Amino acid sequence: MRIIKAAVLVAAGAMLSWTPARADTVPEFRGNDTGGIIAYELAHRVDARQLAVDHCASYGKVAKFLAVDAQYGGYVSFACRWVPYGASNQPLRTLY
């Protein structure tokens, strides 16, 4: 019985060691209806402001940028806010 348990543990350990951990995969753009983050590396390649505006406009909101962490691994963060009262313009979604 002990030999079977030991063999099962060895087999399970071998199977787990063959699969990658994938702990270093982070999305370049992540958001929901309250805001989001854009990886700093992506902000160099594309227009980060346009990404945020399009994302917030899909929820009927406007984008407000909060902070920029300008270093490797940093993020550009933004918030999606409701259109202010009295504003005659609605958020527009642009086509690429």
Side-chain angles (χ1 to χ4, degrees):
M1 189 67 168
R2 289 184 184 176
I3 295 175
I4 294 173
K5 287 182 182 179
V8 168
L9 283 175
V10 168
M15 286 183 1
L16 290 175
S17 68
W18 291 331
T19 58
R22 296 174 51 99
D24 60 343
T25 56
V26 178
E28 292 183 331
F29 178 78
R30 187 70 169 227
N32 56 17
D33 64 329
T34 60
I37 56 174
I38 303 168
Y40 192 69
E41 289 79 23
L42 179 64
H44 283 293
R45 294 191 309 257
V46 298
D47 187 10
R49 177 173 292 162
Q50 194 61 45
L51 278 175
V53 167
D54 287 340
H55 175 76
C56 292
S58 68
Y59 294 104
K61 297 181 178 183
V62 293
K64 179 180 181 184
F65 284 87
L66 301 175
V68 176
D69 186 15
Q71 63 181 356
Y72 179 75
Y75 284 97
V76 176
S77 61
F78 64 94
C80 295
R81 305 275 174 101
W82 290 109
V83 179
Y85 291 113
S88 61
N89 298 339
Q90 292 296 319
L92 299 175
R93 186 165 192 184
T94 60
L95 300 174
Y96 302 165

